[in-house]
Amino acid sequence: MQNFIFQNATKVYFGKGCVKEYLACLLRGSQRVLLAYGGGSIKKSGLYDQVVSILKDCGKEVFEVAGVMPNPTVEKLYEGCNVARENDVDLVLAVGGGSVCDWAKAVSISAWCG
């Protein structure tokens, strides 16, 4: 095996106001955002309103796919790909748990491959 150096710099935003700071960093260079989330707990908690407000305050155009379920179906993947392509999104933002994050990764790759 050849020698190599691997460095994985990770930033963790934690605490009051961290959502706004994190999104401001994440949104640089993006104008059209696909916001994805699951069953609606982000709306009950108020996080949805906070995220959408930050996105709009930054002048972003927001498109949504709600209801990303655990172990998302291929039909749900196709829905996200269609929304991404039809609206020429340049950032897929997942707010939720692992299934939403995995779905967003799959959409970000699949929407423009094929």
Side-chain angles (χ1 to χ4, degrees):
M1 180 166 90
Q2 302 231 355
N3 293 348
F4 65 92
I5 297 172
F6 174 77
Q7 181 177 349
N8 186 9
T10 302
K11 280 187 180 179
V12 177
Y13 292 79
F14 183 82
K16 204 169 204 157
C18 66
V19 171
K20 186 173 186 174
E21 185 178 347
Y22 173 68
L23 283 178
C25 175
L26 186 67
L27 294 170
R28 289 187 194 118
S30 299
Q31 193 57 39
R32 303 166 69 81
V33 178
L34 172 56
L35 173 62
Y37 52 94
S41 62
I42 72 162
K43 287 191 174 183
K44 292 176 193 161
S45 71
L47 182 58
Y48 172 85
D49 292 330
Q50 185 181 8
V51 168
V52 170
S53 176
I54 292 167
L55 292 170
K56 301 243 178 194
D57 288 349
C58 291
K60 307 306 177 188
E61 194 169 356
V62 181
F63 306 92
E64 294 184 28
V65 174
V68 177
M69 67 289 279
N71 301 312
T73 62
V74 71
E75 291 80 17
K76 196 66 175 176
L77 173 65
Y78 293 158
E79 177 187 348
C81 290
N82 289 336
V83 171
R85 279 193 294 259
E86 290 168 5
N87 297 289
D88 196 27
V89 301
D90 50 18
L91 180 82
V92 180
L93 177 62
V95 179
S99 291
V100 177
C101 293
D102 289 344
W103 177 90
K105 289 183 279 186
V107 168
S108 68
I109 293 169
S110 302
W112 290 276
C113 292

